Amino acid sequence: MITANQLRAARALLNIDQRQTANLANLSVPTIQRMEASDGVIRGNVDSLMKLVSALENAGIELINPGGQSLTGGRGVRLREHVTKPKMKNIKQPKPASSRTLERAR
């Protein structure tokens, strides 16, 4: 199980946005948006939840559930040590602006 707060915290630890999270989990952006808008535990299609949790774990996120190893208890997330940057599929990076383009914009 994962909560909306855990999902947002996991994205922050990975420094990725909703679009990148959707790409990582092979889900749509609206699905990620709906999950993050949930109150408490995310409810939804089991297959989508499994894809999300698996993608986050593969990216180095460890979900901490109530009763898990934690100094103060409660839910949370943490980034495993020695994690490489998550691999994104088919994400086009913006081309750097040339100096000529910047001059035209002024």
Side-chain angles (χ1 to χ4, degrees):
M1 295 197 314
I2 182 172
T3 66
N5 288 339
Q6 284 178 302
L7 176 52
R8 285 189 293 275
R11 283 196 313 103
L13 284 173
L14 294 172
N15 195 27
I16 59 176
D17 61 18
Q18 289 179 333
R19 180 181 49 81
Q20 291 168 313
T21 304
N23 184 276
L24 196 65
N26 199 24
L27 297 170
S28 69
V29 174
T31 297
I32 298 298
Q33 290 170 336
R34 277 192 303 277
M35 288 177 169
E36 286 193 5
S38 297
D39 186 28
V41 175
I42 296 173
R43 303 205 190 290
N45 181 310
V46 174
D47 185 49
S48 295
L49 290 170
M50 295 299 291
K51 284 181 179 181
L52 176 66
V53 170
S54 178
L56 292 175
E57 288 176 349
N58 288 337
I61 293 296
E62 183 179 343
L63 298 173
I64 305 168
N65 290 312
Q69 291 183 348
S70 174
L71 296 176
T72 58
R75 292 184 182 273
V77 295
R78 66 178 150 225
L79 190 60
R80 288 192 313 263
E81 291 184 43
H82 309 294
V83 175
T84 59
K85 188 172 180 173
K87 294 180 181 171
M88 301 291 159
K89 301 173 255 172
N90 302 326
I91 294 182
K92 295 180 181 177
Q93 298 296 327
K95 293 181 182 178
S98 68
S99 59
R100 193 175 280 178
T101 304
L102 292 174
E103 287 173 12
R104 279 189 243 149
R106 291 181 188 171

